[in-house]
Amino acid sequence: MKATLGTILLAVCALPAASAAQTSQPIIVVDGVPVDAGAPVLRRGVDALNPVSNAFRSIAQRQTKNITDAAEAMPADKYGFKPTPAQMSFGDVVAHLIQEGNDELCSASSGQKKPERPKFSGTDPKDKLVAGLKESFQFCATALAAMQDGQLGDSMPFFGGRMATRGLATLITVADWADHYSQMAIYLRLNGLLPPTAKRGAQ
């Protein structure tokens, strides 16, 4: 059962300040009642230690499904489609997500070495690109599994040979997924197809 924000605030204010100051672990409050550390809801307290990393993993799971479903929804003969000559083709977007997107960004966010893969091109067959996309998201899931908020300030090599924190790489990764899913959704709609999220919303 979820505690409301108001209930949590009232419970926190009612706790003695001295007791809170001596507590090294977050106080778990459910329905206004502090919960013993050995209670079944302890997992919430553990998760609260890494709220950013846990949110990142949750977004990764959702975007893995959205982007993979979009890649599968586009017919193979439309992978060369681009709205204008200056834009990336649908296949280019998928190839970019595999290499510069998932492998590079999930590596920088997690500190894990990126996998060695053959090069992907937007002109590769759909089956090869979709398989590569799924493998790259699997790398992200594995690499991000052990990520902790305390590591977000660590510096890592990033694009252009510069250094960046894992926190910055995390934010860029989330933005990159959102950017390219919306791009893929537009390409699908321009070909008379509903994007995966629109399909699920209509059901």
Side-chain angles (χ1 to χ4, degrees), residues 52-53 56 105-111 144 147-158 162-175:
V52 177
S53 298
F56 188 24
L105 291 175
C106 287
S107 173
S109 299
S110 66
L144 301 179
M147 184 174 166
Q148 297 182 10
D149 285 11
Q151 302 168 329
L152 295 176
D154 296 348
S155 292
M156 300 292 296
F158 205 52
R162 62 191 176 94
M163 300 296 289
T165 64
R166 292 190 192 179
L168 176 61
T170 297
L171 293 174
I172 292 175
T173 304
V174 171

Side-chain angles (χ1 to χ4, degrees), residues 105-124:
L105 291 175
C106 287
S107 173
S109 299
S110 66
Q112 300 294 317
K113 182 180 178 182
K114 68 178 182 180
E116 298 292 333
R117 300 188 196 278
K119 290 290 183 182
F120 287 86
S121 166
T123 58
D124 287 336

Side-chain angles (χ1 to χ4, degrees), residues 13-80:
C13 291
L15 291 171
S19 174
Q22 295 172 4
T23 304
S24 59
Q25 296 295 325
I27 298 170
I28 308 167
V29 179
V30 178
D31 289 342
V33 180
V35 178
D36 184 275
V41 293
L42 175 62
R43 184 64 209 170
R44 291 187 184 179
V46 174
D47 287 346
L49 298 176
N50 294 290
V52 177
S53 298
N54 290 331
F56 188 24
R57 282 185 280 268
S58 176
I59 292 170
Q61 290 179 349
R62 183 167 66 252
Q63 292 290 37
T64 294
K65 180 169 178 55
N66 289 343
I67 292 171
T68 302
D69 286 353
E72 291 180 328
M74 183 66 91
D77 63 353
K78 295 292 186 180
Y79 260 58

Side-chain angles (χ1 to χ4, degrees), residues 124-198:
D124 287 336
K126 174 183 175 177
D127 289 350
K128 178 181 177 181
L129 287 171
V130 171
L133 183 66
K134 290 179 178 178
E135 288 174 4
S136 72
F137 272 119
Q138 182 56 56
F139 165 67
C140 285
T142 302
L144 301 179
M147 184 174 166
Q148 297 182 10
D149 285 11
Q151 302 168 329
L152 295 176
D154 296 348
S155 292
M156 300 292 296
F158 205 52
F159 293 112
R162 62 191 176 94
M163 300 296 289
T165 64
R166 292 190 192 179
L168 176 61
T170 297
L171 293 174
I172 292 175
T173 304
V174 171
D176 192 64
W177 285 332
D179 177 32
H180 290 302
Y181 176 70
S182 65
Q183 185 180 16
M184 296 168 84
I186 291 169
Y187 284 27
L188 286 167
R189 286 188 180 277
L190 289 173
N191 283 277
L193 300 166
L194 276 180
T197 47

